[in-house]
């Protein structure tokens, strides 16, 4: 079935460092791809999305490019802040299907 | 809009008791989702509704779990009887139609079953 795989384990890095979180997907059709963020004690909220190949989603300094050839949607930010500490989830949905398939999430901890 | 509203935010109960979680979706949204989040299994979809009708409940773990949506502005998730392994954070989310696929999440209910 359709699924999303995120890299294992938490990510700890210093303020102003470069952040990359890997996400790959498996889907039979042409999915839309999402990154959601969950701050401590809160629900998930949409960070960015891309709906077709080569689209780049961006928000709050974060970017991700829909790569059909590598079935990937890696999240990047050039200079992280302490306030970016959160759990990040990659997700996909197929057109005509309002369900989302989520990855397991990555805890990101930014140290001052 | 106030967003998706869930209540209670925290629930502590004893094994065997009935637990009811509540959700008010964003006004005008026609899809409603219930998720469960645990460290071991991550985020799991339990059930979702479209226009108040359950569409897919294949994620509901057991008959002890039931969900209803009596109208467009209210849904409940009930666990009866509750067990310690039901301890988790339960999220409700809503979305508008198929085109956008963007789900808006509530703040969640943290359930502890002792």
């Amino acid at each position: 079935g359709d699924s999303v795989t995120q890299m294992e384990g938490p990510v700890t890095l210093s303020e102003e460092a470069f952040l990359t979180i890997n996400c790959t997907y498996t889907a039979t059709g042409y999915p839309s791809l999402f990154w959601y963020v969950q701050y401590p004690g809160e629900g998930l909220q949409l960070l960015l999305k891309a709906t077709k190949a080569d689209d780049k989603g961006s928000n709050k300094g974060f970017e991700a490019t829909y790569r059909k050839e590598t079935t990937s949607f890696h999240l990047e930010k050039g200079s992280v802040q302490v306030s970016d500490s959160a759990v990040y989830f990659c997700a996909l949905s197929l057109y005509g299907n309002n369900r989302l398939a989520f990855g397991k999430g990555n805890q990101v901890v930014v140290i001052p | 809009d106030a967003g998706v509203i869930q209540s209670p935010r925290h629930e502590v109960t004893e094994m065997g008791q009935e637990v009811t979680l509540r959700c008010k979706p964003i006004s005008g949204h026609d899809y409603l989702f219930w998720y469960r989040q645990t460290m071991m299994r991550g985020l799991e979809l339990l059930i979702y509704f479209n226009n108040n009708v359950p569409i897919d409940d294949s994620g509901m773990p057991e008959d002890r779990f039931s969900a209803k949506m009596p109208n467009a502005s209210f849904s409940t998730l009930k666990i009866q009887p509750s067990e310690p392994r039901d301890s988790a954070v339960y999220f409700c989310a809503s979305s508008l139609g198929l085109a956008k696929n963007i789900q808006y999440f509530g703040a969640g209910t943290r359930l502890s079953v002792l």
Side-chain angles (χ1 to χ4, degrees):
Chain A
D2 304 327
S3 64
V4 168
T5 301
Q6 290 183 235
M7 51 194 277
E8 292 287 332
V11 178
T12 302
L13 60 170
S14 300
E15 205 166 19
E16 299 184 0
F18 184 87
L19 170 69
T20 298
I21 305 176
N22 290 342
C23 171
T24 57
Y25 68 89
T26 302
T28 53
Y30 299 96
S32 292
L33 301 173
F34 307 81
W35 278 100
Y36 278 77
V37 59
Q38 183 180 25
Y39 297 104
E42 299 183 11
L44 282 71
Q45 55 185 275
L46 180 69
L47 180 60
L48 53 84
K49 64 178 283 190
T51 58
K52 62 183 187 296
D54 300 324
D55 268 1
K56 177 185 285 188
S58 61
N59 186 24
K60 300 182 181 180
F62 289 89
E63 293 184 339
T65 301
Y66 189 139
R67 301 286 188 198
K68 185 167 177 288
E69 63 276 12
T70 55
T71 61
S72 65
F73 192 55
H74 304 324
L75 183 68
E76 297 181 337
K77 185 173 185 181
S79 176
V80 293
Q81 305 300 312
V82 172
S83 56
D84 294 324
S85 298
V87 181
Y88 293 81
F89 293 89
C90 187
L92 70 78
S93 73
L94 293 179
Y95 181 79
N97 185 336
N98 223 30
R99 296 183 56 153
L100 290 177
F102 284 92
K104 291 190 177 297
N106 286 104
Q107 173 84 52
V108 172
V109 177
V110 181
I111 301 170
Chain B
D1 199 311
V4 176
I5 299 173
Q6 291 186 246
S7 64
R9 288 295 312 274
H10 303 275
E11 176 80 37
V12 180
T13 190
E14 293 187 347
M15 183 174 62
Q17 296 298 306
E18 177 179 294
V19 175
T20 300
L21 311 181
R22 298 173 174 80
C23 175
K24 176 179 168 56
I26 292 173
S27 177
H29 282 192
D30 53 352
Y31 282 82
L32 183 139
F33 305 81
W34 282 101
Y35 291 90
R36 177 172 68 177
Q37 185 180 38
T38 61
M39 290 293 292
M40 291 298 294
R41 293 187 297 271
L43 197 62
E44 305 171 278
L45 176 65
L46 301 177
I47 185 171
Y48 78 96
F49 296 82
N50 177 218
N51 291 323
N52 314 336
V53 176
I55 302 300
D56 186 348
D57 65 355
S58 60
M60 297 284 262
E62 303 172 31
D63 291 346
R64 298 184 296 105
F65 285 69
S66 62
K68 294 183 179 179
M69 192 164 186
N71 56 63
S73 59
F74 183 66
S75 177
T76 59
L77 178 68
K78 186 176 293 186
I79 308 173
Q80 166 63 19
S82 58
E83 297 182 3
R85 60 195 168 114
D86 302 330
S87 298
V89 181
Y90 291 82
F91 289 104
C92 175
S94 70
S95 68
L96 177 61
L98 291 177
K100 296 187 181 299
N101 297 100
I102 298 173
Q103 294 184 17
Y104 297 84
F105 283 73
T109 295
R110 182 174 295 278
L111 173 64
S112 298
V113 182
L114 307 178

